[in-house]
Amino acid sequence: MKSMILAAGYGKRLAPLTDNIPKPLLEVGTQSLIKRNINYLVDNGFSEIIINVSYLGEKITNHVKAEFPNLDILFSIEDEPLGTGGGILHALPIIGDEPFLLMNSDIFHEINIKNLPKDVKAAHLIGVPNPDHNINGDFTLNDSLVEVKDDKNELTWSGISVINPIIFYQAGFTSKNFNIWDTVLPSYIKEGTITGQKSSDLWIDVGTLDRLKLANTVYNDQN
């Protein structure tokens, strides 16, 4: 199974650090976020890796090529960040037609990805207990089916999932820049074709300065 790391965003909530450093190159401990996640993919058997880049993208590609000279990593280059959905759509020619693992570049985690389903109708999402910054959550599981309640949901999307590219081939998009959660997944959730699972493993969304500090605190406590 191929894997794709989303690494094209501006990381505005991490300014001023991201004024000159792309978010995936911020470090937890002694390693960049993207290096950690590439190593995690490789350690779990994923050897075909695609990374989309845009903002300060050359710095990311140079870093990855220097750190992983022996890995065949492909880059999907965007003239401007296209969002989580637009980035996938843009990369479809190198993703192909088979389900693939999707992972955000800005997460510090130990989520078990060894036994994820490889054949999904639309998508399979990994959810985590709601953190303080998303107390109402993103979705709820009814057995293994993903549902979205109007008020409070039980889980937050971890940024790790298995995506069937067919959901992009089947849809018509009015813009090249869009978010997968808002634009692509809702109709499939209503159809009952998106499954999910809960993980209680370590997970931190390193999206703000405070959460970057938290990730480093957790790392230092572990080491």
Side-chain angles (χ1 to χ4, degrees), residues 123 125 157 163 167 180-181 183-190 194:
L125 312 182
W157 190 11
I163 303 292
I167 66 178
I180 184 175
W181 181 258
T183 306
V184 184
L185 298 184
S187 61
Y188 293 96
I189 291 174
K190 289 178 182 178
I194 294 185

Side-chain angles (χ1 to χ4, degrees), residues 125-128 130 134 136-141 145-149 152-158 181 189 195-198:
L125 312 182
I126 297 182
V128 296
N130 295 335
N134 193 39
N136 290 326
D138 298 317
F139 65 88
T140 295
L141 291 178
L145 291 181
V146 169
E147 296 180 348
V148 177
K149 296 182 177 180
K152 185 171 182 177
N153 288 279
E154 298 171 0
L155 299 172
T156 290
W157 190 11
S158 66
W181 181 258
I189 291 174
T195 56
Q197 67 187 69
K198 178 181 178 180

Side-chain angles (χ1 to χ4, degrees), residues 7-12 14-25 52-61 76-82:
Y10 290 112
K12 292 179 179 179
L14 281 156
L17 295 181
T18 48
D19 290 348
N20 298 297
I21 302 172
K23 179 166 59 172
L25 297 194
N52 73 325
V53 296
S54 183
Y55 175 66
L56 299 177
E58 188 173 354
K59 290 188 176 182
I60 298 173
T61 58
S76 177
I77 300 172
E78 304 168 13
D79 291 336
E80 62 179 359
L82 298 176

Side-chain angles (χ1 to χ4, degrees), residues 5 48 62 75 78 82 85 92 104 110 115 145 167 211:
I5 299 177
E48 296 182 83
N62 289 342
F75 296 92
E78 304 168 13
L82 298 176
L92 283 183
N104 291 349
E110 295 176 356
N115 299 309
L145 291 181
I167 66 178
R211 299 205 295 270

Side-chain angles (χ1 to χ4, degrees), residues 20-44:
N20 298 297
I21 302 172
K23 179 166 59 172
L25 297 194
L26 296 178
E27 294 185 347
V28 173
T30 58
Q31 292 184 353
S32 68
L33 286 165
I34 200 162
K35 181 178 180 180
R36 287 187 173 280
N37 282 311
I38 292 172
N39 278 327
Y40 201 77
L41 288 172
V42 172
D43 289 346
N44 282 277

